[in-house]
Amino acid sequence: MRFPVCLMCCLLAGCVVAKAQVSAFAEFGTALHTGGHTPLWQVSNRQGLGSIYNNGYVRGGVGHLYKTHGWSFEEQVDLVGAVGNSFKKDVSFIVQQAYADIRFKWLGLYVGSRELGAPLVDNELSSGDMTWSGNARPIPQVRVGIPEYLYLFRRFAIKGNVSYGWFTDNNYLKKQVGEGYWYTKSVKYHHKEGFMRIGLPEGKWQFDVGMVLDTEFGGYMEKNGTTTDLGNAFKDYLRVLVPGSAKDNGEKPSGEVAWYQGNYLGSEQVMFTYRGKAVQASGYLLNHFDDFSGLGKLNGWDGLWGLELGFKHFTPVERVVVEYLQTTNMSGPLHGMHDKGSGPVQKTGGADNYYNNGCYQGWSHWGMMIANPLIASPIYNEDGDMTLKYTRVRAFHLAWCGEINSEWSYTAKMSHNRTWGKPFAPTLDILKNFSLYTSFTYVPRWGEGWSFNGSFAFDTGDIYGDNVGLQLIVRKTF
Protein backbone atom coordinates (compact mmCIF):
# COMPACT_ATOMS: atom_id res chain seq x y z
CA MET A 1 0.00 0.00 0.00
CA ARG A 2 2.95 2.37 0.57
CA PHE A 3 3.65 3.09 -3.14
CA PRO A 4 0.01 3.91 -4.17
CA VAL A 5 -0.38 6.17 -1.11
CA CYS A 6 2.85 8.02 -1.89
CA LEU A 7 1.85 8.40 -5.53
CA MET A 8 -1.56 9.80 -4.54
CA CYS A 9 0.09 12.28 -2.16
CA CYS A 10 2.43 13.48 -4.92
CA LEU A 11 -0.46 13.99 -7.32
CA LEU A 12 -2.48 15.89 -4.74
CA ALA A 13 0.50 18.05 -3.89
CA GLY A 14 0.99 18.78 -7.60
CA CYS A 15 -2.55 20.11 -7.95
CA VAL A 16 -1.27 23.51 -6.80
CA VAL A 17 0.64 23.94 -10.09
CA ALA A 18 -1.46 21.61 -12.25
CA LYS A 19 -3.53 22.74 -15.21
CA ALA A 20 -6.84 21.02 -15.89
CA GLN A 21 -9.23 21.54 -18.80
CA VAL A 22 -12.65 20.07 -19.46
CA SER A 23 -14.13 20.35 -22.95
CA ALA A 24 -17.29 19.09 -24.60
CA PHE A 25 -19.00 19.29 -27.97
CA ALA A 26 -22.26 18.41 -29.68
CA GLU A 27 -22.65 17.93 -33.43
CA PHE A 28 -25.41 17.27 -35.94
CA GLY A 29 -24.77 16.19 -39.52
CA THR A 30 -26.81 15.09 -42.49
CA ALA A 31 -26.12 14.31 -46.15
CA LEU A 32 -28.55 13.81 -49.05
CA HIS A 33 -27.71 12.79 -52.60
CA THR A 34 -29.05 11.83 -55.98
CA GLY A 35 -27.51 8.92 -57.84
CA GLY A 36 -26.21 5.64 -56.48
CA HIS A 37 -24.08 6.93 -53.59
CA THR A 38 -23.07 9.93 -51.55
CA PRO A 39 -20.22 11.60 -53.50
CA LEU A 40 -16.70 10.39 -52.74
CA TRP A 41 -15.36 13.39 -50.83
CA GLN A 42 -18.42 13.65 -48.60
CA VAL A 43 -17.77 10.04 -47.52
CA SER A 44 -13.98 9.73 -47.44
CA ASN A 45 -11.33 10.61 -44.84
CA ARG A 46 -13.97 11.21 -42.16
CA GLN A 47 -12.80 8.53 -39.70
CA GLY A 48 -15.51 6.14 -40.91
CA LEU A 49 -18.42 8.49 -40.15
CA GLY A 50 -19.18 9.13 -43.83
CA SER A 51 -21.93 7.08 -45.45
CA ILE A 52 -22.63 6.10 -49.05
CA TYR A 53 -26.37 6.33 -48.21
CA ASN A 54 -28.57 9.30 -47.32
CA ASN A 55 -27.79 9.73 -43.65
CA GLY A 56 -28.00 11.78 -40.49
CA TYR A 57 -26.31 11.63 -37.12
CA VAL A 58 -26.09 13.26 -33.71
CA ARG A 59 -22.73 13.22 -32.02
CA GLY A 60 -21.44 14.32 -28.65
CA GLY A 61 -18.30 14.03 -26.62
CA VAL A 62 -16.55 15.14 -23.49
CA GLY A 63 -12.83 15.35 -22.83
CA HIS A 64 -10.54 16.08 -19.89
CA LEU A 65 -6.92 17.24 -19.96
CA TYR A 66 -4.78 17.45 -16.83
CA LYS A 67 -1.13 18.50 -16.66
CA THR A 68 1.26 18.50 -13.72
CA HIS A 69 5.05 18.26 -13.23
CA GLY A 70 5.81 17.01 -16.75
CA TRP A 71 2.85 14.61 -16.72
CA SER A 72 -0.15 14.91 -19.03
CA PHE A 73 -3.41 12.94 -18.66
CA GLU A 74 -6.05 13.16 -21.39
CA GLU A 75 -9.35 11.26 -21.59
CA GLN A 76 -12.01 11.47 -24.31
CA VAL A 77 -15.40 9.82 -24.87
CA ASP A 78 -17.19 10.44 -28.17
CA LEU A 79 -20.56 8.82 -28.96
CA VAL A 80 -22.62 8.84 -32.17
CA GLY A 81 -26.23 7.99 -32.92
CA ALA A 82 -26.78 7.59 -36.66
CA VAL A 83 -29.36 6.56 -39.23
CA GLY A 84 -28.36 5.55 -42.74
CA ASN A 85 -24.80 4.71 -41.77
CA SER A 86 -22.84 2.78 -44.42
CA PHE A 87 -22.58 -0.35 -42.29
CA LYS A 88 -26.14 -0.24 -40.91
CA LYS A 89 -28.93 1.55 -42.75
CA ASP A 90 -31.27 1.72 -39.76
CA VAL A 91 -30.51 3.38 -36.41
CA SER A 92 -27.09 2.58 -34.95
CA PHE A 93 -25.16 3.72 -31.87
CA ILE A 94 -21.39 4.01 -32.16
CA VAL A 95 -18.55 4.54 -29.72
CA GLN A 96 -16.40 6.62 -32.06
CA GLN A 97 -13.71 7.47 -29.52
CA ALA A 98 -12.98 6.29 -25.99
CA TYR A 99 -9.38 6.56 -24.92
CA ALA A 100 -6.91 7.59 -22.25
CA ASP A 101 -3.63 9.24 -23.23
CA ILE A 102 -0.85 9.41 -20.63
CA ARG A 103 2.42 11.24 -21.28
CA PHE A 104 5.50 11.94 -19.24
CA LYS A 105 7.70 14.52 -20.91
CA TRP A 106 8.50 12.95 -24.31
CA LEU A 107 7.15 9.43 -23.64
CA GLY A 108 3.52 8.62 -24.42
CA LEU A 109 1.01 5.80 -23.93
CA TYR A 110 -2.59 5.69 -25.06
CA VAL A 111 -5.21 2.98 -24.71
CA GLY A 112 -8.53 2.82 -26.53
CA SER A 113 -10.24 3.92 -29.71
CA ARG A 114 -8.93 7.22 -31.08
CA GLU A 115 -9.17 9.12 -34.36
CA LEU A 116 -5.72 9.25 -35.97
CA GLY A 117 -4.39 10.96 -39.07
CA ALA A 118 -1.39 10.54 -41.33
CA PRO A 119 2.06 11.36 -39.92
CA LEU A 120 3.31 13.64 -42.74
CA VAL A 121 0.68 14.76 -45.27
CA ASP A 122 -1.98 17.44 -44.79
CA ASN A 123 -4.90 15.50 -43.36
CA GLU A 124 -7.45 18.07 -44.52
CA LEU A 125 -6.34 18.50 -48.13
CA SER A 126 -4.40 15.37 -49.10
CA SER A 127 -6.17 12.54 -50.92
CA GLY A 128 -4.85 10.27 -48.17
CA ASP A 129 -1.83 8.47 -46.78
CA MET A 130 -0.76 5.18 -48.41
CA THR A 131 -1.08 3.25 -45.14
CA TRP A 132 -3.41 5.14 -42.79
CA SER A 133 -5.50 8.08 -44.00
CA GLY A 134 -8.31 8.41 -41.45
CA ASN A 135 -10.77 7.01 -43.99
CA ALA A 136 -11.98 4.11 -41.80
CA ARG A 137 -13.25 3.89 -38.24
CA PRO A 138 -10.59 3.91 -35.50
CA ILE A 139 -9.07 0.60 -34.42
CA PRO A 140 -8.94 0.21 -30.61
CA GLN A 141 -5.34 -0.31 -29.61
CA VAL A 142 -2.60 0.08 -27.04
CA ARG A 143 0.16 2.36 -28.36
CA VAL A 144 3.43 3.38 -26.73
CA GLY A 145 6.29 5.51 -28.03
CA ILE A 146 7.47 9.05 -28.71
CA PRO A 147 4.36 10.76 -30.14
CA GLU A 148 5.98 14.11 -31.01
CA TYR A 149 9.39 14.90 -32.44
CA LEU A 150 12.07 14.76 -29.74
CA TYR A 151 15.20 16.78 -30.55
CA LEU A 152 18.29 14.80 -29.58
CA PHE A 153 20.53 17.43 -31.12
CA ARG A 154 19.99 20.97 -32.37
CA ARG A 155 19.11 19.80 -35.89
CA PHE A 156 18.11 16.17 -35.35
CA ALA A 157 14.84 14.80 -33.94
CA ILE A 158 13.09 11.43 -33.80
CA LYS A 159 9.63 10.07 -33.11
CA GLY A 160 8.00 6.65 -33.33
CA ASN A 161 5.62 4.20 -31.73
CA VAL A 162 4.52 0.58 -31.50
CA SER A 163 0.97 -0.66 -30.96
CA TYR A 164 -1.31 -3.67 -30.87
CA GLY A 165 -5.02 -3.42 -31.64
CA TRP A 166 -8.18 -5.33 -32.53
CA PHE A 167 -10.56 -4.94 -35.48
CA THR A 168 -14.19 -4.54 -34.40
CA ASP A 169 -16.16 -5.38 -37.57
CA ASN A 170 -17.10 -9.04 -36.99
CA ASN A 171 -20.87 -8.48 -37.14
CA TYR A 172 -20.57 -6.24 -40.18
CA LEU A 173 -18.53 -8.84 -42.09
CA LYS A 174 -20.89 -11.69 -41.17
CA LYS A 175 -23.84 -9.69 -42.50
CA GLN A 176 -22.16 -8.15 -45.54
CA VAL A 177 -20.20 -11.03 -47.10
CA GLY A 178 -22.03 -12.54 -50.07
CA GLU A 179 -22.61 -16.16 -50.90
CA GLY A 180 -19.51 -17.86 -52.24
CA TYR A 181 -17.10 -15.38 -50.64
CA TRP A 182 -14.99 -15.70 -47.50
CA TYR A 183 -13.90 -13.44 -44.65
CA THR A 184 -11.69 -13.44 -41.57
CA LYS A 185 -13.10 -12.36 -38.20
CA SER A 186 -11.51 -11.26 -34.92
CA VAL A 187 -8.47 -9.90 -36.77
CA LYS A 188 -5.63 -8.42 -34.72
CA TYR A 189 -3.63 -5.32 -35.64
CA HIS A 190 0.03 -4.43 -35.19
CA HIS A 191 1.64 -1.10 -36.03
CA LYS A 192 5.21 0.19 -36.05
CA GLU A 193 6.51 3.54 -37.25
CA GLY A 194 9.69 5.55 -36.94
CA PHE A 195 10.58 9.00 -38.27
CA MET A 196 13.53 11.35 -38.05
CA ARG A 197 13.75 15.05 -38.85
CA ILE A 198 16.84 16.99 -39.91
CA GLY A 199 16.73 20.75 -39.56
CA LEU A 200 16.10 23.44 -37.00
CA PRO A 201 12.58 23.65 -35.52
CA GLU A 202 10.72 25.98 -37.89
CA GLY A 203 14.00 26.51 -39.73
CA LYS A 204 14.36 27.43 -43.38
CA TRP A 205 15.10 23.88 -44.55
CA GLN A 206 13.75 20.63 -43.15
CA PHE A 207 13.92 16.96 -44.13
CA ASP A 208 11.61 14.27 -42.77
CA VAL A 209 12.09 10.56 -43.48
CA GLY A 210 10.47 7.50 -41.95
CA MET A 211 8.69 4.23 -42.37
CA VAL A 212 5.30 2.83 -41.36
CA LEU A 213 4.69 -0.93 -41.10
CA ASP A 214 1.21 -2.29 -40.37
CA THR A 215 0.06 -5.88 -40.02
CA GLU A 216 -3.24 -7.73 -39.94
CA PHE A 217 -2.72 -11.01 -38.11
CA GLY A 218 -4.56 -13.70 -36.21
CA GLY A 219 -8.29 -14.13 -36.40
CA TYR A 220 -10.38 -16.94 -37.83
CA MET A 221 -10.98 -17.48 -41.54
CA GLU A 222 -14.55 -18.44 -42.46
CA LYS A 223 -14.48 -20.17 -45.85
CA ASN A 224 -16.77 -22.82 -47.35
CA GLY A 225 -18.27 -23.58 -43.94
CA THR A 226 -14.85 -24.18 -42.39
CA THR A 227 -13.20 -22.09 -39.67
CA THR A 228 -9.39 -21.84 -39.71
CA ASP A 229 -7.40 -20.47 -36.78
CA LEU A 230 -4.78 -18.08 -38.19
CA GLY A 231 -2.87 -17.76 -34.92
CA ASN A 232 -4.24 -16.04 -31.83
CA ALA A 233 -1.81 -17.14 -29.13
CA PHE A 234 0.75 -15.01 -27.34
CA LYS A 235 3.52 -16.32 -29.61
CA ASP A 236 1.64 -14.91 -32.61
CA TYR A 237 1.77 -11.43 -31.08
CA LEU A 238 5.54 -11.84 -30.71
CA ARG A 239 5.92 -13.20 -34.24
CA VAL A 240 4.53 -10.04 -35.84
CA LEU A 241 6.71 -7.84 -33.63
CA VAL A 242 9.73 -9.40 -35.36
CA PRO A 243 8.27 -10.74 -38.64
CA GLY A 244 8.45 -14.49 -39.06
CA SER A 245 6.56 -17.39 -40.59
CA ALA A 246 4.28 -19.88 -38.85
CA LYS A 247 6.34 -22.94 -39.76
CA ASP A 248 5.75 -24.40 -36.31
CA ASN A 249 2.06 -24.85 -37.16
CA GLY A 250 1.38 -26.62 -40.42
CA GLU A 251 -2.39 -26.33 -39.97
CA LYS A 252 -2.31 -22.68 -41.01
CA PRO A 253 -2.79 -21.77 -44.70
CA SER A 254 0.33 -22.30 -46.81
CA GLY A 255 1.02 -18.58 -47.22
CA GLU A 256 1.22 -18.09 -43.47
CA VAL A 257 3.61 -21.03 -43.14
CA ALA A 258 5.88 -20.37 -46.13
CA TRP A 259 6.49 -16.63 -45.79
CA TYR A 260 5.54 -14.08 -43.14
CA GLN A 261 2.57 -14.65 -40.91
CA GLY A 262 -0.11 -11.99 -41.34
CA ASN A 263 -0.86 -9.36 -43.98
CA TYR A 264 2.12 -6.99 -43.95
CA LEU A 265 2.05 -3.62 -45.69
CA GLY A 266 3.61 -0.24 -45.17
CA SER A 267 5.08 2.89 -46.68
CA GLU A 268 8.41 4.64 -46.88
CA GLN A 269 7.88 8.38 -46.50
CA VAL A 270 10.14 11.32 -47.35
CA MET A 271 9.38 15.04 -47.29
CA PHE A 272 11.53 18.09 -48.08
CA THR A 273 10.31 21.45 -46.72
CA TYR A 274 11.40 24.99 -47.52
CA ARG A 275 10.13 27.91 -45.44
CA GLY A 276 10.44 31.33 -47.06
CA LYS A 277 9.18 34.68 -45.87
CA ALA A 278 5.93 34.42 -47.83
CA VAL A 279 5.70 30.80 -48.99
CA GLN A 280 6.27 27.38 -47.44
CA ALA A 281 6.73 24.50 -49.87
CA SER A 282 6.94 20.75 -49.16
CA GLY A 283 7.55 17.96 -51.65
CA TYR A 284 6.95 14.37 -50.61
CA LEU A 285 6.82 10.75 -51.69
CA LEU A 286 4.91 8.01 -49.89
CA ASN A 287 6.08 4.71 -51.38
CA HIS A 288 3.73 1.79 -50.67
CA PHE A 289 5.13 -1.71 -50.28
CA ASP A 290 3.64 -5.13 -49.69
CA ASP A 291 6.95 -6.99 -49.75
CA PHE A 292 10.70 -6.50 -50.21
CA SER A 293 10.44 -5.69 -53.92
CA GLY A 294 8.30 -2.63 -53.18
CA LEU A 295 10.45 -1.82 -50.15
CA GLY A 296 13.46 -1.72 -52.49
CA LYS A 297 11.54 0.62 -54.85
CA LEU A 298 11.33 -1.99 -57.61
CA ASN A 299 7.77 -0.81 -58.22
CA GLY A 300 8.65 2.02 -60.61
CA TRP A 301 6.65 5.24 -60.15
CA ASP A 302 4.19 3.67 -57.71
CA GLY A 303 3.41 5.80 -54.67
CA LEU A 304 1.85 9.10 -53.69
CA TRP A 305 3.85 12.03 -55.07
CA GLY A 306 2.84 15.40 -53.65
CA LEU A 307 3.54 19.11 -53.42
CA GLU A 308 2.15 21.23 -50.59
CA LEU A 309 2.24 25.04 -50.64
CA GLY A 310 1.42 27.40 -47.80
CA PHE A 311 0.97 31.15 -48.27
CA LYS A 312 1.64 33.09 -45.09
CA HIS A 313 0.19 36.46 -46.11
CA PHE A 314 -2.47 35.53 -48.68
CA THR A 315 -5.55 34.36 -46.77
CA PRO A 316 -7.85 33.83 -49.82
CA VAL A 317 -5.65 30.82 -50.65
CA GLU A 318 -3.79 29.67 -47.55
CA ARG A 319 -2.77 26.12 -48.56
CA VAL A 320 -2.63 24.13 -51.80
CA VAL A 321 -1.96 20.41 -52.28
CA VAL A 322 -1.24 18.74 -55.64
CA GLU A 323 -0.81 14.94 -55.74
CA TYR A 324 -0.24 12.12 -58.20
CA LEU A 325 -1.14 8.59 -57.09
CA GLN A 326 0.05 5.49 -58.92
CA THR A 327 -0.33 1.84 -57.96
CA THR A 328 -0.14 0.17 -61.39
CA ASN A 329 3.40 -1.23 -61.42
CA MET A 330 3.23 -3.52 -58.38
CA SER A 331 6.85 -4.64 -59.01
CA GLY A 332 6.03 -6.03 -62.45
CA PRO A 333 4.01 -9.02 -63.65
CA LEU A 334 6.17 -11.91 -62.37
CA HIS A 335 6.04 -13.76 -59.08
CA GLY A 336 9.19 -14.89 -57.33
CA MET A 337 10.68 -18.30 -57.96
CA HIS A 338 12.45 -19.01 -54.70
CA ASP A 339 13.15 -22.73 -55.08
CA LYS A 340 16.02 -23.67 -57.35
CA GLY A 341 14.05 -26.57 -58.76
CA SER A 342 11.07 -24.44 -59.75
CA GLY A 343 12.62 -22.89 -62.85
CA PRO A 344 15.60 -21.06 -64.30
CA VAL A 345 14.51 -17.55 -63.20
CA GLN A 346 15.42 -16.48 -59.66
CA LYS A 347 13.33 -13.31 -59.30
CA THR A 348 11.64 -11.92 -56.20
CA GLY A 349 8.42 -9.92 -56.44
CA GLY A 350 5.81 -9.10 -59.01
CA ALA A 351 2.02 -8.81 -59.18
CA ASP A 352 2.04 -7.62 -55.57
CA ASN A 353 -1.73 -7.00 -55.51
CA TYR A 354 -1.44 -4.13 -53.05
CA TYR A 355 -3.66 -4.18 -49.94
CA ASN A 356 -5.15 -7.65 -50.67
CA ASN A 357 -4.13 -10.93 -49.08
CA GLY A 358 -5.10 -14.58 -49.36
CA CYS A 359 -5.98 -14.85 -45.66
CA TYR A 360 -7.39 -11.36 -44.95
CA GLN A 361 -10.16 -9.68 -46.92
CA GLY A 362 -8.24 -6.52 -47.66
CA TRP A 363 -6.87 -3.46 -45.94
CA SER A 364 -10.24 -2.22 -44.67
CA HIS A 365 -12.23 -1.76 -41.47
CA TRP A 366 -16.04 -1.76 -41.47
CA GLY A 367 -15.89 -1.89 -45.27
CA MET A 368 -13.84 1.30 -45.59
CA MET A 369 -10.36 1.37 -47.11
CA ILE A 370 -7.89 2.23 -44.33
CA ALA A 371 -5.41 3.88 -46.70
CA ASN A 372 -5.97 6.27 -49.65
CA PRO A 373 -9.71 6.27 -50.57
CA LEU A 374 -9.00 6.80 -54.29
CA ILE A 375 -8.60 3.02 -54.14
CA ALA A 376 -12.30 2.17 -53.88
CA SER A 377 -13.45 0.68 -50.56
CA PRO A 378 -15.11 -2.78 -50.38
CA ILE A 379 -18.29 -1.08 -49.17
CA TYR A 380 -18.99 -0.21 -52.81
CA ASN A 381 -18.95 -3.91 -53.82
CA GLU A 382 -22.56 -4.90 -54.41
CA ASP A 383 -21.82 -8.64 -54.64
CA GLY A 384 -20.60 -9.07 -51.05
CA ASP A 385 -16.93 -9.51 -52.00
CA MET A 386 -14.91 -7.83 -49.24
CA THR A 387 -11.63 -7.66 -51.14
CA LEU A 388 -10.38 -4.50 -52.86
CA LYS A 389 -11.30 -4.84 -56.55
CA TYR A 390 -9.61 -1.73 -57.94
CA THR A 391 -6.08 -1.61 -56.57
CA ARG A 392 -4.36 -0.63 -59.85
CA VAL A 393 -4.95 3.13 -59.98
CA ARG A 394 -3.56 6.31 -61.47
CA ALA A 395 -5.02 9.52 -60.10
CA PHE A 396 -4.50 13.27 -59.95
CA HIS A 397 -5.72 15.25 -56.96
CA LEU A 398 -5.87 19.01 -56.35
CA ALA A 399 -7.11 20.68 -53.16
CA TRP A 400 -6.89 24.13 -51.62
CA CYS A 401 -8.39 26.15 -48.78
CA GLY A 402 -8.52 29.72 -47.53
CA GLU A 403 -10.42 32.43 -45.68
CA ILE A 404 -13.06 34.69 -47.22
CA ASN A 405 -13.19 36.91 -44.13
CA SER A 406 -12.90 36.55 -40.35
CA GLU A 407 -16.07 34.43 -40.18
CA TRP A 408 -16.08 32.48 -43.46
CA SER A 409 -13.60 29.91 -44.81
CA TYR A 410 -13.72 27.33 -47.58
CA THR A 411 -12.15 24.07 -48.81
CA ALA A 412 -12.18 22.70 -52.37
CA LYS A 413 -11.03 19.38 -53.84
CA MET A 414 -11.08 17.74 -57.24
CA SER A 415 -9.77 14.31 -58.22
CA HIS A 416 -9.57 12.31 -61.43
CA ASN A 417 -8.68 8.64 -61.24
CA ARG A 418 -8.50 5.64 -63.53
CA THR A 419 -8.37 1.97 -62.58
CA TRP A 420 -7.40 -1.21 -64.38
CA GLY A 421 -8.85 -3.50 -61.69
CA LYS A 422 -6.28 -5.64 -59.85
CA PRO A 423 -3.70 -8.31 -60.74
CA PHE A 424 -5.31 -11.52 -62.02
CA ALA A 425 -8.71 -9.74 -62.20
CA PRO A 426 -8.40 -6.79 -64.61
CA THR A 427 -11.38 -4.77 -65.75
CA LEU A 428 -12.44 -5.22 -69.38
CA ASP A 429 -12.17 -1.44 -69.88
CA ILE A 430 -10.29 1.29 -68.06
CA LEU A 431 -12.74 2.69 -65.50
CA LYS A 432 -12.62 6.45 -64.93
CA ASN A 433 -14.01 8.84 -62.35
CA PHE A 434 -13.99 12.56 -61.60
CA SER A 435 -14.97 13.90 -58.18
CA LEU A 436 -15.41 17.51 -57.04
CA TYR A 437 -16.02 18.85 -53.54
CA THR A 438 -16.44 22.34 -52.12
CA SER A 439 -17.40 23.33 -48.59
CA PHE A 440 -17.93 26.57 -46.68
CA THR A 441 -17.56 27.00 -42.92
CA TYR A 442 -19.18 29.82 -40.98
CA VAL A 443 -17.89 30.59 -37.46
CA PRO A 444 -20.02 33.54 -36.27
CA ARG A 445 -18.72 36.21 -33.95
CA TRP A 446 -22.13 36.34 -32.28
CA GLY A 447 -22.12 32.68 -31.18
CA GLU A 448 -19.06 31.54 -29.26
CA GLY A 449 -18.29 27.88 -29.94
CA TRP A 450 -20.73 27.56 -32.87
CA SER A 451 -19.69 26.52 -36.39
CA PHE A 452 -21.74 25.71 -39.49
CA ASN A 453 -20.40 23.77 -42.46
CA GLY A 454 -22.18 23.14 -45.74
CA SER A 455 -20.76 21.27 -48.73
CA PHE A 456 -21.64 20.41 -52.32
CA ALA A 457 -20.03 17.51 -54.18
CA PHE A 458 -20.47 15.32 -57.21
CA ASP A 459 -18.97 12.27 -58.92
CA THR A 460 -19.15 11.33 -62.56
CA GLY A 461 -17.74 8.19 -64.15
CA ASP A 462 -17.59 4.42 -63.96
CA ILE A 463 -16.20 3.72 -60.48
CA TYR A 464 -18.70 5.47 -58.18
CA GLY A 465 -21.36 6.39 -60.74
CA ASP A 466 -22.95 9.79 -61.28
CA ASN A 467 -23.81 11.34 -57.91
CA VAL A 468 -24.67 14.79 -56.56
CA GLY A 469 -24.74 15.48 -52.83
CA LEU A 470 -25.40 18.17 -50.23
CA GLN A 471 -24.09 17.95 -46.67
CA LEU A 472 -24.65 20.05 -43.53
CA ILE A 473 -22.72 19.86 -40.23
CA VAL A 474 -23.55 22.00 -37.19
CA ARG A 475 -21.16 21.90 -34.23
CA LYS A 476 -21.14 23.53 -30.77
CA THR A 477 -18.14 23.36 -28.46
CA PHE A 478 -18.36 24.11 -24.75
Side-chain angles (χ1 to χ4, degrees):
M1 289 294 292
R2 180 177 298 177
F3 177 75
V5 171
C6 292
L7 178 61
M8 183 63 68
C9 291
C10 291
L11 291 176
L12 291 175
C15 288
V16 178
V17 294
K19 297 180 180 180
Q21 294 177 325
V22 177
S23 61
F25 77 93
E27 182 176 296
F28 165 78
T30 184
L32 301 173
H33 71 268
T34 62
H37 309 106
T38 303
L40 174 68
W41 290 121
Q42 290 178 332
V43 177
S44 303
N45 291 344
R46 298 190 57 220
Q47 302 289 341
L49 286 178
S51 173
I52 63 175
Y53 309 113
N54 291 328
N55 67 89
Y57 69 88
V58 177
R59 181 181 183 184
V62 60
H64 175 258
L65 177 63
Y66 178 81
K67 296 182 178 181
T68 179
H69 294 299
W71 287 89
S72 172
F73 302 89
E74 180 184 1
E75 304 86 32
Q76 176 87 28
V77 176
D78 181 355
L79 306 177
V80 179
V83 60
N85 196 285
S86 288
F87 49 83
K88 191 175 182 181
K89 292 184 181 181
D90 51 0
V91 177
S92 58
F93 297 95
I94 306 164
V95 178
Q96 180 68 5
Q97 297 188 95
Y99 68 86
D101 186 324
I102 304 171
R103 300 188 184 187
F104 177 68
K105 296 184 177 180
W106 48 266
L107 183 64
L109 165 70
Y110 91 75
V111 180
S113 181
R114 184 177 193 176
E115 294 183 349
L116 298 171
L120 282 188
V121 300
D122 187 315
N123 285 283
E124 180 182 1
L125 298 183
S126 172
S127 62
D129 185 276
M130 296 295 287
T131 307
W132 186 287
S133 70
N135 189 51
R137 286 190 62 193
I139 297 175
Q141 56 193 282
V142 178
R143 178 175 291 199
V144 63
I146 306 172
E148 307 294 339
Y149 272 115
L150 170 66
Y151 274 85
L152 303 179
F153 305 101
R154 187 165 177 257
R155 288 183 169 85
F156 182 77
I158 61 170
K159 69 175 182 177
N161 57 72
V162 177
S163 74
Y164 284 95
W166 301 268
F167 285 70
T168 61
D169 53 358
N170 283 1
N171 292 334
Y172 167 80
L173 291 170
K174 183 178 180 180
K175 180 179 179 180
Q176 190 75 8
V177 172
E179 185 177 352
Y181 294 103
W182 58 273
Y183 70 98
T184 299
K185 63 184 182 181
S186 301
V187 177
K188 280 70 177 175
Y189 170 71
H190 178 56
H191 168 88
K192 292 187 284 282
E193 72 175 58
F195 284 84
M196 66 178 183
R197 171 172 290 176
I198 300 173
L200 292 172
E202 300 302 316
K204 189 174 183 179
W205 293 96
Q206 186 172 283
F207 173 60
D208 293 85
V209 60
M211 182 182 295
V212 176
L213 180 62
D214 280 2
T215 311
E216 295 175 286
F217 74 99
Y220 303 87
M221 179 187 287
E222 299 286 345
K223 187 175 183 179
N224 300 326
T226 302
T227 301
T228 303
D229 186 340
L230 298 181
N232 298 277
F234 179 70
K235 64 181 179 181
D236 298 295
Y237 284 79
L238 296 179
R239 186 175 284 125
V240 296
L241 181 63
V242 180
S245 68
K247 291 181 179 179
D248 59 334
N249 190 342
E251 297 178 0
K252 292 186 176 69
S254 59
E256 300 288 88
V257 175
W259 311 119
Y260 293 101
Q261 183 176 351
N263 178 27
Y264 280 87
L265 55 93
S267 60
E268 300 161 299
Q269 307 190 10
V270 294
M271 174 181 282
F272 290 92
T273 299
Y274 166 76
R275 296 186 179 93
K277 294 181 179 180
V279 178
Q280 175 175 312
S282 297
Y284 51 88
L285 166 64
L286 278 59
N287 176 53
H288 176 78
F289 62 85
D290 266 22
D291 58 22
F292 285 108
S293 60
L295 185 65
K297 204 67 186 86
L298 299 179
N299 55 2
W301 289 95
D302 281 3
L304 182 71
W305 304 77
L307 174 65
E308 179 184 329
L309 300 174
F311 303 96
K312 298 179 181 179
H313 310 298
F314 187 64
T315 57
V317 180
E318 291 185 328
R319 305 195 318 277
V320 178
V321 168
V322 183
E323 293 179 333
Y324 171 65
L325 171 67
Q326 177 175 309
T327 59
T328 55
N329 184 285
M330 298 197 181
S331 300
L334 295 177
H335 270 299
M337 295 182 177
H338 300 272
D339 298 326
K340 292 184 178 180
S342 63
V345 179
Q346 298 297 310
K347 178 181 174 63
T348 302
D352 286 348
N353 197 9
Y354 295 162
Y355 303 109
N356 283 314
N357 183 271
C359 296
Y360 300 90
Q361 54 267 356
W363 188 231
S364 63
H365 191 214
W366 290 87
M368 295 294 286
M369 172 61 160
I370 297 174
N372 193 298
L374 291 176
I375 300 170
S377 297
I379 205 161
Y380 291 99
N381 298 347
E382 297 180 354
D383 58 0
D385 182 0
M386 296 309 298
T387 63
L388 295 156
K389 292 186 175 184
Y390 306 116
T391 58
R392 299 185 67 225
V393 168
R394 290 181 182 174
F396 290 93
H397 175 77
L398 171 65
W400 66 99
C401 66
E403 289 185 1
I404 301 172
N405 56 38
S406 60
E407 294 180 296
W408 287 88
S409 60
Y410 75 93
T411 300
K413 303 178 184 179
M414 56 179 66
S415 306
H416 179 268
N417 57 324
R418 296 179 295 163
T419 182
W420 288 256
K422 63 181 178 179
F424 312 114
T427 56
L428 296 177
D429 299 301
I430 300 174
L431 305 184
K432 303 176 182 179
N433 185 81
F434 176 78
S435 297
L436 180 142
Y437 169 89
T438 181
S439 76
F440 294 89
T441 301
Y442 175 52
V443 182
R445 287 192 295 265
W446 50 260
E448 182 178 358
W450 284 95
S451 68
F452 304 84
N453 176 269
S455 67
F456 166 81
F458 73 81
D459 304 323
T460 181
D462 310 305
I463 303 174
Y464 306 103
D466 298 328
N467 313 300
V468 177
L470 295 173
Q471 188 175 66
L472 173 67
I473 299 175
V474 180
R475 186 180 179 95
K476 177 68 170 76
T477 58
F478 305 92

